[in-house]
Amino acid sequence: MTQASPTLETALMVIDGEDVAAAGGDWFETRDPASGRVLARVARGGAEDVDTAVRAARAAQLHWGALTARERGLVLLALADAIAAHAEELTHLETLDVGKPLREARIDVGHAERLFRFYGEIADKLPTDKLTVDGGFAFTDRIPHGVTGHITPWNYPIQLFARTVAPALAVGNACVVKPAEDTPLTSLRVARLALEAGLPPGVLNVVTGLGAEAGGALADHPGVDHLSFTGSRATGERVMIASARQMRPVMLELGGKSPSILLGDVDVAELVPTLRSAVLWNAGQTCDAQSRILVDRTIHSDVVDALAADFAQVTVGPGIDDHDVGPLVSELQHGRVSTHVAAARRAGGARLVVGGGRPQGLDDGWFFAPTIFDVSDPSTPIANEEVFGPVLSIVPFH
Ligand code: ADP
């Protein structure tokens, strides 16, 4: 294994342009999913740290929101350049923290760069409306919300950080981000790169911490004017309720169980690479993973056989060695996927074709073999519930 041996480092939060430990002095650990080893100890921020960050954002937003859109855009473009200049470092960091193969992390870093570049470019080109009405006109004036909160997930950390933060900054908001506790490292790194790129202190704050503590404190904070959240439905509900109490707008991106639909006239062999990548990308930890295939029964057995043969060829191993499929992000997620698969094997209504558990020879870390269920009862849970792992259900239809 060529894995770089990660050293125990201390990851501090970025609040008001400073590297800070949690007010309570507490820490948590982020681990390398390929080995289970501790990658870094991370500041365990809580309500007090969130409050400090929101206040810093409020103060900084006055200046940031008053800049011209062009001035803000130029800072975002400088940050895009900085991400490009540090692309390999960020790629390695993302792979170590999330577990995903280097080739996938590299794409995510490229997306992050392009998101900051896109919003940097359009900051001063946003359309506005002017309507003539009887005796005069009406117009739309776009003003920033003020302080925006961002709770991000662990599956695409750097990409989703960029996707939520870049547009908020472009239009003059100041941000407080709570990255997922499993994968905080690239968000912290990009926040530091943003300071170097000229973003004023306090405009982009990252509070690391646990979901209910730091995330809950951010969702409950009355000083947050807009909240964006990507994650599970259960947490999304909580965040939405907290936002309703604050009478603030909230934006949610939650899960799914997206199907591929194969009609009888498709070329199965030609489609196999697409179907494989649609469910095995990021080890299936994607909200729009095509984790079930609805297939015309006339080609059903061809599809099952072709994908079973294909999945058997897929290499599973540490993301840092750039295998096809890396580990799941955490022990918790490995447990969740294992539970889904064990329940499916007990429930009936689906036959295990390949996979079903930990691949042979990968005893450390949180690896799960690419798995296929051939479903006879379409109402069986494995064909309906989001597994968020490398688990495909193939469901024939008439
Ligand atoms: P998962 O259970 O797979 O980690 P979550 O939806 O819980 O998915 O996590 C997405 C994000 O929401 C993470 O940043 C997490 O820390 C955060 N989070 C978890 N619980 C809460 C909560 N009660 N309030 C606010 N944020 C939370």
Side-chain angles (χ1 to χ4, degrees):
M1 201 160 78
T2 60
Q3 182 169 347
S5 81
T7 50
L8 182 79
E9 64 170 83
T10 295
L12 296 169
M13 303 186 284
V14 178
I15 298 180
D16 207 9
E18 304 286 336
D19 292 343
V20 293
D26 295 327
W27 305 90
F28 66 96
E29 291 167 339
T30 180
R31 288 172 182 272
D32 173 3
S35 65
R37 281 178 303 168
V38 175
L39 212 49
R41 68 172 195 154
V42 186
R44 181 170 164 178
E48 195 179 335
D49 304 289
V50 166
D51 187 55
T52 306
V54 170
R55 286 171 195 278
R58 175 71 61 208
Q61 195 274 330
L62 292 176
H63 166 68
W64 178 247
L67 292 179
T68 66
R70 177 72 181 148
E71 288 168 327
R72 286 195 299 267
L74 287 173
V75 175
L76 298 193
L77 291 173
L79 176 53
D81 290 342
I83 292 172
H86 293 81
E88 275 309 288
E89 174 205 337
L90 289 164
T91 295
H92 277 77
L93 200 55
E94 193 79 324
T95 282
L96 284 176
D97 214 6
V98 187
K100 62 179 65 191
L102 285 172
R103 68 189 93 156
E104 295 186 16
R106 196 167 284 125
I107 288 171
D108 294 353
V109 171
H111 281 311
E113 178 209 331
R114 284 203 298 284
L115 283 158
F116 280 107
R117 202 173 294 292
F118 176 83
Y119 287 102
E121 291 287 1
I122 66 158
D124 61 350
K125 300 173 190 70
L126 291 171
T128 187
D129 299 319
K130 183 176 168 195
L131 301 173
T132 48
V133 291
D134 288 345
F137 64 89
F139 65 96
T140 307
D141 187 17
R142 294 177 185 276
I143 57 170
H145 287 284
V147 176
T148 54
H150 307 259
I151 300 176
T152 58
W154 45 256
N155 56 348
Y156 294 87
I158 192 171
Q159 186 185 150
L160 298 185
F161 175 95
R163 190 187 67 180
T164 186
V165 160
L169 293 177
V171 297
N173 298 291
C175 303
V176 179
V177 184
K178 208 302 279 177
E181 50 269 47
D182 291 311
T183 58
L185 299 181
T186 49
S187 301
L188 291 168
R189 187 71 185 105
V190 174
R192 292 192 177 102
L193 289 175
L195 289 166
E196 290 170 22
L199 194 71
V203 175
L204 173 55
N205 307 276
V206 177
V207 179
T208 48
L210 306 184
E213 285 176 14
L218 187 60
D220 287 338
H221 201 292
V224 174
D225 303 308
H226 180 283
L227 192 71
S228 99
F229 170 84
T230 301
S232 66
R233 181 188 162 126
T235 306
E237 279 183 20
R238 285 200 198 99
V239 162
M240 202 178 196
I241 290 167
S243 295
R245 289 206 186 98
Q246 305 292 342
M247 290 296 281
R248 80 157 86 89
V250 59
M251 213 159 65
L252 305 178
E253 187 195 4
L254 309 176
K257 185 78 175 175
S258 317
S260 299
I261 301 173
L262 302 192
L263 304 182
D265 59 355
V266 300
D267 181 336
V268 174
E270 188 191 349
L271 277 179
V272 161
T274 305
L275 297 170
R276 175 217 307 137
S277 134
V279 67
L280 296 187
W281 194 264
N282 203 24
Q285 301 165 118
T286 303
C287 62
D288 61 347
Q290 319 261 295
S291 55
R292 56 191 174 134
I293 297 176
L294 309 182
V295 54
D296 186 313
R297 64 176 174 156
T298 59
I299 57 166
H300 164 226
S301 58
D302 295 347
V303 169
V304 172
D305 293 347
L307 280 168
D310 183 79
F311 274 33
Q313 303 297 316
V314 164
T315 68
V316 182
I320 206 84
D321 296 335
D322 212 16
H323 285 273
D324 297 329
V325 177
L328 298 171
V329 73
S330 63
E331 189 171 18
L332 178 67
Q333 191 58 22
H334 195 271
R336 286 171 176 162
V337 172
S338 303
T339 301
H340 275 289
V341 167
R345 295 179 76 169
R346 274 197 312 273
R351 175 179 66 90
L352 180 67
V353 182
V354 289
R358 189 178 274 282
Q360 281 203 332
L362 289 171
D363 300 326
D364 297 327
W366 300 303
F367 293 96
F368 203 94
T371 296
I372 296 177
F373 281 100
D374 184 9
V375 173
S376 49
D377 172 6
S379 70
T380 198
I382 198 75
N384 293 279
E385 291 173 359
E386 186 175 39
V387 178
F388 232 60
V391 180
L392 174 66
S393 293
I394 302 178
V395 187
F397 66 80
H398 294 217

